Amino acid sequence: MTLFVTRHGETHLNRMNRVCGVTESELTDKGRLQARRLAENLLKHRAEYKIKYMYVSPIKRARDTSQFIEKALGLTAVIEPRLHEFNFGTMEGIACTDPVFIEKRRNPYARFEGGESMFSAAQRIYNLIDDIKARHSTANENVLFVCHGTVGRIIDTYFTNMSSEYFVTYQIKNCEIRHYEL
């Protein structure tokens, strides 16, 4: 079974290089174009991807992205609350280059004030992957997650060993697709 993971299209906060966790931010025109192109690519390579199920974050930018894919592939996405983006708490909306934010991200043990820690987020995401593996791997059914940047980073740690420094710099681009064998 293959797990495919993609990040939503570009949002206004992404374009401004602002922290965008659980804060809602609409897709830009470029973000909608990215989502449309992703859907077209998935349709064009449908026989290779063989995606049978799609799970999407409840946050609007991910749901808006998934609508293009649903239409192209004829699938109905399941809203999965555990795919919601990381909650950066009081740091939501600040510049991604803010030194306090950068330092806070380097410590996976620390909980963002009013938010969560990387470890708590990893627990919910790892549990989701384990649930999906149990639900779909016996039938060898490929699955697509439509989610977010930090969620994508955490998903990658489930499958690969990475240093703390690499974790901080790792990024899944908007509408980029990654795949993992379960």
Side-chain angles (χ1 to χ4, degrees):
M1 172 192 155
T2 303
L3 172 63
F4 294 96
V5 177
T6 193
R7 182 181 177 198
H8 58 78
E10 179 193 71
T11 68
H12 292 286
L13 285 174
N14 293 153
R15 186 172 46 207
M16 294 186 305
N17 201 27
R18 297 280 180 180
V19 174
C20 185
V22 294
T23 301
E24 291 287 2
S25 184
E26 293 289 325
L27 294 179
T28 62
D29 289 341
K30 178 181 178 181
R32 284 187 290 282
L33 178 61
Q34 290 170 328
R36 189 174 306 110
R37 286 183 177 158
L38 170 63
E40 290 167 357
N41 182 54
L42 290 171
L43 179 60
K44 180 179 177 183
H45 299 284
R46 184 179 204 153
E48 297 158 47
Y49 287 118
K50 299 177 187 166
I51 295 169
K52 192 153 184 180
Y53 297 97
M54 180 168 49
Y55 294 86
V56 61
S57 160
I59 297 177
K60 188 176 184 313
R61 60 190 179 265
R63 291 190 338 266
D64 288 350
T65 299
S66 75
Q67 289 176 357
F68 289 95
I69 301 165
E70 288 178 273
K71 185 176 180 183
L73 300 183
L75 296 173
T76 301
V78 174
I79 295 174
E80 174 49 68
R82 292 175 287 183
L83 284 175
H84 76 78
E85 179 58 306
F86 185 83
N87 185 343
F88 291 101
T90 58
M91 300 212 133
E92 295 272 335
I94 68 166
C96 292
T97 56
D98 183 287
V100 175
F101 172 72
I102 292 169
E103 186 58 35
K104 189 81 160 175
R105 264 186 47 178
R106 293 184 187 282
N107 184 354
Y109 309 105
R111 183 175 300 279
F112 280 75
E113 183 181 336
E116 62 186 321
S117 71
M118 289 295 170
F119 278 160
S120 62
Q123 179 181 12
R124 73 175 153 85
I125 295 163
Y126 282 20
N127 288 344
L128 170 61
I129 295 169
D130 289 341
D131 290 349
I132 293 300
K133 185 173 16 174
R135 189 175 309 145
H136 297 292
S137 66
T138 57
N140 201 28
E141 300 168 331
N142 293 344
V143 173
L144 171 66
F145 285 172
V146 180
C147 55
H148 306 275
T150 302
V151 171
R153 176 181 297 126
I154 293 170
I155 289 169
D156 199 71
T157 69
Y158 183 95
F159 297 96
T160 60
N161 292 323
M162 66 174 68
S163 68
S164 296
E165 191 57 39
Y166 183 71
F167 179 81
V168 171
T169 59
Y170 174 93
Q171 184 173 356
I172 183 170
K173 296 176 184 149
N174 296 107
C175 290
E176 177 182 1
I177 192 157
R178 301 276 174 104
H179 67 278
Y180 306 92
E181 294 306 316
L182 283 171

